[in-house]
Amino acid sequence: MRSGLNPFSPPKHNNVIIKFAVSFLLAGLAFHFLISDSFRFSSVVETPVPANEEAGTEALVASLPVEVPLSNDFAANESQISQPGIQIFFPFLFLHMPEYESKNPDEGSESAICLLEIGCLTLRDRFYTNQSCLEIERHQNCMKNGRPDSGYLHWRWSPRGCNLPRFNPKKFLRLMRNKSWAFIGDSISRNHVQSMLCILSRVERAVEVYHDEEYRSRIWRYPSHNFTLSVIWTPFLVKADIFEDINGVSSSEIQLHLDKLDKKWTDQYRNLDYAVIAGGKWFLKTAIYHENNEATGCHNCPGKNLIELGFGYAYRKAMHLVFNFITNSGHKAHAFFRTTTPDHFENGEWFSGGTCNRKVPFKEGEINMNEVDTIMHNIELEEFKKATASGSEKGVILKLLDTTQLSLLRPDGHPGPYRQFQPFAEDKNARVQNDCLHWCLPGPIDSWNDLVMEMIVNDGIYQ
């Protein structure tokens, strides 16, 4: 027996295993520190990114010091928080969209079902600022108007298990060369197009070539790409006689023709390559309904000796007419239907002192869709399903951009009192009208364009 052997020394093959394990551990630690440092936010004010900069990279533009949007409410959740800029997973966040087949590159030609129901909020810096984008309307320019917090700027929707890249403006414009795109709907559609204009401005600034008298309908051109982007203001999508001024003051009831579409958008539809169409809250206004050139009923019209049919009746009629037009137009545009946008008024409505002062997203169970939004959303889904059943046989490209549930979780993203410039400059306790329907820019609405980009690039995934 050899007495020189140490009974506690591992055999040689075990030494190799231990060395490999230690090396693997050290490599992992090094990778962790590298990633942590590379995703850290900058708290220094940076100049706007030049328009000709490579747009495929993440934008790290800041006009304000970063406020990490965490609160005592969020600290109690089952969240995993490490360095600022690292993903923070919240198991309570849900985005309701249809399931779709997503091809996994690691699986060759096989398909896997990806559900965009559970996701996380990722702390990322915004693509642009109110200084780098000149297209933000004053009512949505929350930073310029004096909103003091900035946490709402940094939440970005990231579906769990589904790769949702950020909007790539350079790639988008390359895909849109020689094409035309329109957002069709009410002021939320105008809010949406502003977000796209701001993101695209990192590559090329748009040139406005048309606007109507009230700047509700507008057209922009991107000369370097021969791309036309527009917004067509048609709040009902059907023919409507509206007697309101720019401030929403009405002199008479709206006359809504439920069997006739608004030619303002249908006459232009056949010239479009892409269209994002949406209904909205205008259907909640007092209106007289007309069919076959006769008044058949109304919504909220006491004393008119008409049948109270309700807004749901009119909304279903309008949705059916819109989808029927798209599926039978003979035009093969890429049509997206964006679902209704929930508001977040609390303690009243827009006309009765309602406010929206929250600074963080909702947690699970904190918010349910109200009855009005539920009715509108259900009608949209039902009519969309009918349209896709008939449209698929005709080769119609119709996709659902369902942003309703995602938006429901973002009460922190509205202008609130900061729809006006410095509303509390003279009186800290001033009573001002709040906007809890539209979205601050930059803000949550930018994530809608992430979804749009993915639906274009991976054509056929979202149906």
Side-chain angles (χ1 to χ4, degrees):
M1 177 181 294
R2 296 180 59 184
S3 59
L5 290 175
N6 184 347
F8 299 103
S9 298
K12 288 185 178 180
H13 67 276
N14 283 346
N15 282 336
V16 174
I17 294 174
I18 291 172
K19 290 178 179 178
F20 177 81
V22 171
S23 299
F24 185 82
L25 177 62
L26 292 174
L29 288 172
F31 181 77
H32 169 75
F33 288 121
L34 176 63
I35 293 299
S36 297
D37 285 341
S38 65
F39 278 89
R40 221 166 252 149
F41 280 137
S42 168
S43 60
V44 180
V45 176
E46 299 180 12
T47 55
V49 180
N52 60 354
E53 181 177 325
E54 175 62 43
T57 59
E58 293 290 336
L60 294 175
V61 182
S63 64
L64 294 172
V66 169
E67 171 188 314
V68 180
L70 300 177
S71 70
N72 292 333
D73 291 336
F74 271 42
N77 296 326
E78 295 179 5
S79 28
Q80 298 177 6
I81 304 175
S82 54
Q83 300 279 352
I86 302 301
Q87 282 191 344
I88 301 179
F89 175 65
F90 294 94
F92 51 77
L93 293 177
F94 296 95
L95 168 62
H96 174 76
M97 289 188 71
E99 63 182 40
Y100 64 93
E101 291 187 353
S102 177
K103 292 186 177 181
N104 188 329
D106 296 329
E107 297 177 355
S109 61
E110 296 181 5
S111 296
I113 298 298
C114 179
L115 301 177
L116 295 181
E117 292 181 333
I118 301 176
C120 61
L121 289 177
T122 305
L123 287 176
R124 297 278 181 88
D125 215 341
R126 49 205 180 277
F127 240 139
Y128 59 91
T129 72
N130 65 316
Q131 296 174 339
S132 66
C133 180
L134 305 178
E135 298 296 340
I136 304 174
E137 292 186 7
R138 67 181 188 276
H139 293 314
Q140 283 88 54
N141 201 335
C142 303
M143 288 187 286
K144 182 177 181 179
N145 289 343
R147 179 168 172 169
D149 63 305
S150 59
Y152 70 95
L153 298 168
H154 304 294
W155 294 115
R156 175 182 176 265
W157 177 253
S158 297
R160 186 185 182 191
C162 308
N163 181 27
L164 181 63
R166 294 196 72 176
F167 191 102
N168 186 327
K170 186 174 184 180
K171 185 173 185 179
F172 179 86
L173 284 173
R174 188 167 64 246
L175 292 170
M176 292 299 113
R177 186 175 296 279
N178 302 321
K179 291 182 170 58
S180 59
W181 182 300
F183 288 87
I184 301 170
D186 60 14
S187 56
I188 298 296
S189 294
R190 198 162 66 244
N191 202 176
H192 194 179
V193 76
Q194 288 177 64
S195 169
M196 182 171 284
L197 285 163
C198 287
I199 296 172
L200 294 179
S201 68
R202 292 197 60 217
V203 177
E204 183 179 359
R205 293 194 185 280
V207 177
E208 185 179 62
V209 295
Y210 168 82
H211 63 77
D212 62 9
E213 186 177 351
E214 297 174 333
Y215 285 81
R216 284 173 162 171
S217 294
R218 302 171 71 181
I219 302 174
W220 297 267
R221 293 273 295 166
Y222 290 83
S224 297
H225 296 82
N226 193 29
F227 172 50
T228 302
L229 179 62
S230 62
V231 58
I232 303 172
W233 187 76
T234 168
F236 292 101
L237 300 173
V238 297
K239 181 181 177 182
D241 301 318
I242 302 173
F243 305 94
E244 287 188 4
D245 62 20
I246 194 67
N247 297 313
V249 178
S250 178
S251 58
S252 184
E253 298 87 359
I254 295 168
Q255 306 295 314
L256 208 54
H257 302 268
L258 299 179
D259 54 355
K260 299 176 183 178
L261 288 172
D262 187 354
K263 289 186 177 182
K264 190 184 298 182
W265 73 273
T266 57
D267 285 351
Q268 299 184 53
Y269 183 75
R270 289 175 177 83
N271 298 322
L272 298 173
D273 297 295
Y274 293 85
V276 180
I277 304 169
K281 294 292 195 295
W282 276 72
F283 282 87
L284 304 181
K285 294 176 178 284
T286 296
I288 308 298
Y289 300 151
H290 297 262
E291 296 177 74
N292 297 318
N293 297 318
E294 292 184 2
T296 56
C298 67
H299 170 58
N300 191 28
C301 62
K304 290 292 182 180
N305 196 28
L306 291 169
I307 300 173
E308 174 64 40
L309 296 174
F311 74 90
Y313 173 85
Y315 199 56
R316 188 177 295 278
K317 283 276 187 177
M319 292 300 99
H320 179 78
L321 207 60
V322 168
F323 288 131
N324 187 60
F325 171 80
I326 294 171
T327 55
N328 292 289
S329 66
H331 181 53
K332 298 299 191 293
H334 289 69
F336 301 86
F337 183 81
R338 178 184 56 74
T339 56
T340 189
T341 302
D343 62 66
H344 292 96
F345 286 100
E346 297 184 65
N347 305 312
E349 298 296 330
W350 69 270
F351 54 84
S352 58
T355 59
C356 44
N357 298 319
R358 296 179 185 267
K359 296 183 179 180
V360 293
F362 278 122
K363 297 185 295 185
E364 181 183 18
E366 278 191 309
I367 185 68
N368 293 312
M369 201 183 305
N370 63 37
E371 183 180 4
V372 168
D373 289 329
T374 299
I375 291 172
M376 298 183 78
H377 193 231
N378 287 342
I379 289 173
E380 291 167 344
L381 297 182
E382 290 164 9
E383 294 302 320
F384 178 85
K385 185 177 181 180
K386 295 175 188 176
T388 53
S390 63
S392 60
E393 301 173 357
K394 303 172 184 176
V396 174
I397 304 172
L398 178 60
K399 302 181 181 182
L400 185 69
L401 179 59
D402 193 339
T403 58
T404 301
Q405 293 289 342
L406 168 60
S407 303
L408 183 65
L409 298 173
R410 296 303 310 273
D412 56 315
H414 299 291
Y418 296 98
R419 68 184 296 274
Q420 305 172 44
F421 182 71
Q422 300 291 344
F424 304 111
E426 297 182 2
D427 182 0
K428 293 182 179 180
N429 299 314
R431 291 179 60 85
V432 297
Q433 189 180 57
N434 278 235
D435 181 355
C436 305
L437 175 62
H438 299 90
W439 304 96
C440 291
L441 291 170
I445 200 170
D446 295 324
S447 287
W448 297 7
N449 284 321
D450 289 343
L451 295 174
V452 168
M453 180 78 184
E454 183 70 3
M455 293 166 77
I456 294 171
V457 173
N458 292 316
D459 186 31
I461 285 182
Y462 297 76
Q463 298 291 342

